Amino acid sequence: MPDQPSPLDPRELKDIGGEALELLAAYWSRLTHSSKDLPVLSRVSPGDIAALLPAHAPERGEDWSTILADLDRVVMPGLTHWQSPHFYAFFPANISTPGVIGELLSAGLGVNGMLWATSPAATEIETRVMQWLGDAIGLPPRFAAAPTPTNNSGGVIQGTASEATLVAMVAARDRIRRAMKANAAAKGGTVSRPEFVVYASQQAHSSVVKAAMIAGIADDADDRVHVRLVPVDRAFRMRADVLERWMREDLAAGRVPCFIAATLGTTGCTAIDDLDAIADAADRVGFFGDASSRTGWLHVDTAHAGAMAICPEFRAALHIGVDNRGINRCDSICFNPHKWLLTNFDCDCFWTSDRRSLIAALSITPEYLRNAQSDAGSVIDYRDWQVPLGRRFRALKLWFVLRRFGLDTLRHSVREHVALAAWLEAQIVADARFELLAPRTMNLVCFRLRGGARASAADVDAFNKQFMDRINRAGQMYFTHTVLPTFDDDTEIVGSHVALRLAIGASLTRREHVERAWETISHAAGATTAPTS
Ligand code: PLP
């Protein structure tokens, strides 16, 4: 065969890898300095990129020059620039140089850290980094302490918050099932398969429902018998009074409350559920069992907001740091450094105070995975803490981010984003054309253009969406919308409306970018006529 490329060619890695890094460096400069020719939201139509690709894979290897040229020709037009300083959509997925270098090295080392034995460094660095980060966000030792034979704590990197919620729910389901079986056996009986119920607020992320579907608790995405989505109060927090009432109804109907997902920083408007009100309500209905047979599981999803806890002054708002209250009453917590802590996707940090239940629910050991250290029980095998068997060396990038920046720089980055959001909020509040639609709790501002006094709700919604689409199409910035409930004078939900969201958290976003975003929005509003009737 002529000239087969070697799979691992050190020369090629240096030459072409170097060229690829040059391309990335030029891209990053372009994001900052000449963003005008890079529309933040991709402008291609469905199928445009696929049409540029041949129908079949090449039979013979191609030159690097041809391959890399397609970055500009094929890839770039189809990119939405998440790292642009003008990216305000969804939540950020901010990255950094140490994060990228960690990813690169992890790819090049090419190890699979499924077992301690398959790369001890991958496991032991992950354990230590999870302990560092747990301490850094103020988690108590029952979560953040490194696992030992005598404690039940533990932290692990999952791919995403969705996976974290899923593994927590599976652990909860099995823990309660075991407790019920043991109780029944003590009385000489057995239990049939119980009907479990999961609770979260109406503002919780859809990953809670999805986890219940995968865990076999919900029949389908619309099953509101087994996944109860509790209404929210005017601050968009789960209503603990309704949670308590629904739990009592479920118990009376013979169903078993199994799992509560509280959210600190909801996806729609970064509302922060009141953990103590939730835990008190759950306690009153016996959700937690007694100290000897703890059963129901309280999980905290703080996928986006958790990064904020790196700053001590923000912890109280996230219910972190008060003895025996807030987070101390929960069984697990997760947050995504890949959203707002300068760490490349994918990196979700998950801690539990009951790792034994987690491992009991997820561990299975075929002969081909057995080895002396695992058999001796002297090591951590993270495969038992997650859904897949194989696992990437994700800890490397997080380790690099923590070491290169130090906690100080990370705190500075979060504080700056929160301050910029406060500045934007002040502009919106001072401008009578706009209204705020949710309390600002961190780096997200939810607002809209007001309609005229007699405009219908549907017209104002449509008008706001058109307003946002027009700005996004122009390419100078990108932001997105959600739908939030509306209330009567009391706390009852009577309807909903469209809210525009600006999340400030991209790695490169600075004051001048947010000022420009406000200028763009304000100018576009000046050129818009609000519906009146
Ligand atoms: N939970 C919350 C509160 C979120 O905001 C999101 C995504 O934005 C998720 C979960 C899902 O995150 P992931 O993509 O890591 O599964």
Side-chain angles (χ1 to χ4, degrees):
M1 291 289 260
D3 267 3
Q4 297 288 316
S6 152
L8 291 182
D9 180 339
R11 185 81 252 154
E12 188 178 14
L13 179 70
K14 280 174 75 171
D15 291 351
I16 309 301
E19 214 175 300
L21 288 179
E22 296 276 347
L23 287 172
L24 266 187
Y27 173 62
W28 287 5
S29 298
R30 221 172 135 201
L31 285 176
T32 326
H33 300 300
S34 53
S35 55
K36 286 219 170 70
D37 55 318
L38 276 185
V40 186
L41 176 65
S42 170
R43 287 178 171 153
V44 299
S45 300
D48 283 358
I49 302 297
L52 298 174
L53 303 173
H56 303 286
E59 208 52 57
R60 291 188 50 102
E62 297 178 54
D63 287 342
W64 271 115
S65 56
T66 319
I67 298 170
L68 288 182
D70 278 350
L71 268 180
D72 263 343
R73 189 182 68 91
V74 180
V75 179
M76 216 37 88
L79 288 188
T80 288
H81 300 285
W82 282 69
Q83 304 311 321
S84 161
H86 310 289
F87 184 94
Y88 303 102
F90 311 107
F91 281 141
N94 68 18
I95 67 168
S96 64
T97 316
V100 170
I101 292 174
E103 277 286 271
L104 177 67
L105 288 172
S106 165
L109 296 173
V111 303
N112 180 338
M114 59 189 184
L115 300 164
W116 176 88
T118 59
S119 267
T123 296
E124 295 192 11
I125 291 172
E126 180 160 334
T127 308
R128 182 50 57 96
V129 163
M130 288 300 293
Q131 188 197 334
W132 282 3
L133 191 57
D135 284 346
I137 63 167
L139 290 186
R142 60 191 284 266
F143 293 110
T148 67
T150 53
N151 70 22
N152 200 11
S153 56
V156 58
I157 302 180
Q158 307 279 347
T160 61
S162 304
E163 291 162 73
T165 300
L166 173 63
V167 297
M169 199 180 291
V170 169
R173 184 198 63 191
D174 282 18
R175 182 170 79 177
I176 202 162
R177 214 185 251 162
R178 268 196 311 280
M180 291 174 78
K181 274 189 188 159
N183 275 342
K187 293 179 194 146
T190 54
V191 273
S192 52
R193 240 179 155 68
E195 265 189 76
F196 291 123
V197 188
V198 163
Y199 306 83
S201 91
Q202 286 175 347
Q203 291 293 308
H205 192 264
S206 56
S207 50
V208 178
V209 179
K210 190 164 181 173
M213 292 158 69
I214 299 169
I217 293 174
D219 292 344
D220 54 48
D222 301 318
D223 179 354
R224 289 295 152 268
V225 173
H226 301 103
V227 182
R228 299 276 237 159
L229 295 181
V230 180
V232 291
D233 64 15
R234 300 181 79 91
F236 306 97
R237 301 173 303 190
M238 189 193 302
R239 275 185 57 186
D241 59 326
V242 179
L243 171 71
E244 182 171 342
R245 179 154 42 86
W246 283 7
M247 283 180 141
R248 288 188 196 285
E249 285 170 15
D250 287 331
L251 285 164
R255 291 185 287 270
V256 181
C258 159
F259 186 85
I260 304 171
T263 313
L264 308 181
T266 56
T267 314
C269 65
T270 56
I272 300 175
D273 281 342
D274 183 340
L275 276 189
D276 280 311
I278 289 172
D280 288 342
D283 213 9
R284 281 192 293 273
V285 302
F287 175 76
F288 295 122
D290 58 36
S292 62
S293 67
R294 190 176 162 94
T295 48
W297 187 295
L298 178 51
H299 172 66
V300 171
D301 173 2
T302 184
H304 169 70
M308 204 168 76
I310 203 150
C311 305
E313 71 272 26
F314 296 139
R315 282 184 200 149
L318 294 174
H319 307 276
I320 294 177
V322 187
D323 281 352
N324 302 317
R325 304 291 288 166
I327 198 73
N328 291 289
R329 304 171 77 185
C330 304
D331 294 270
S332 55
I333 175 168
C334 75
F335 98 91
N336 290 358
H338 73 226
K339 285 195 183 339
W340 192 18
L341 208 66
L342 301 175
T343 307
N344 283 61
F345 187 85
D346 52 352
C347 184
D348 169 271
C349 291
F350 172 80
W351 292 268
T352 178
S353 55
D354 187 5
R355 78 163 186 281
R356 294 195 186 102
S357 289
L358 179 75
I359 291 171
L362 296 171
S363 180
I364 173 162
T365 304
E367 185 57 33
Y368 47 80
L369 294 177
R370 294 190 62 177
N371 62 84
Q373 294 84 6
S374 299
D375 285 352
S378 56
V379 295
I380 292 173
D381 289 329
Y382 277 126
R383 71 181 178 104
D384 294 333
W385 302 47
Q386 61 174 25
V387 174
L389 168 62
R391 61 197 327 267
R392 305 197 303 117
F393 192 174
R394 293 193 192 99
L396 203 56
K397 62 190 170 193
L398 188 55
W399 192 41
F400 284 9
V401 166
L402 291 171
R403 293 182 63 186
R404 176 72 186 119
F405 291 129
L407 299 177
D408 215 35
T409 302
L410 296 174
R411 287 190 196 108
H412 176 78
S413 160
V414 165
R415 283 182 184 131
E416 193 175 2
H417 291 144
V418 173
L420 289 175
W423 178 85
L424 179 67
E425 175 192 34
Q427 311 313 304
I428 290 172
V429 168
D431 190 323
R433 295 170 300 173
F434 295 92
E435 59 184 329
L436 274 190
L437 293 190
R440 184 191 57 78
T441 58
M442 49 196 83
N443 62 337
L444 176 77
V445 185
C446 289
F447 67 103
R448 71 169 182 173
L449 272 168
R450 295 177 196 272
R454 283 176 295 119
S456 75
D459 282 349
V460 181
D461 281 356
F463 162 66
N464 270 281
K465 273 191 174 165
Q466 285 157 12
F467 174 72
M468 176 188 76
D469 288 342
R470 205 167 54 245
I471 293 174
N472 286 339
R473 265 198 313 272
Q476 288 170 23
M477 60 183 282
Y478 178 35
F479 64 125
T480 47
H481 77 285
T482 189
V483 170
L484 293 175
T486 54
F487 300 86
D488 62 11
D489 290 340
D490 199 10
T491 54
E492 294 308 317
I493 294 173
V494 290
S496 62
H497 55 196
V498 164
L500 308 182
R501 300 166 74 259
L502 244 102
I504 300 173
S507 312
L508 297 169
T509 303
R510 298 286 171 270
R511 175 73 178 242
E512 70 260 28
H513 304 112
V514 180
E515 283 175 358
R516 201 169 110 189
W518 171 238
E519 232 175 79
T520 305
I521 289 171
S522 179
H523 184 259
T528 304
T529 314
T532 50
S533 60

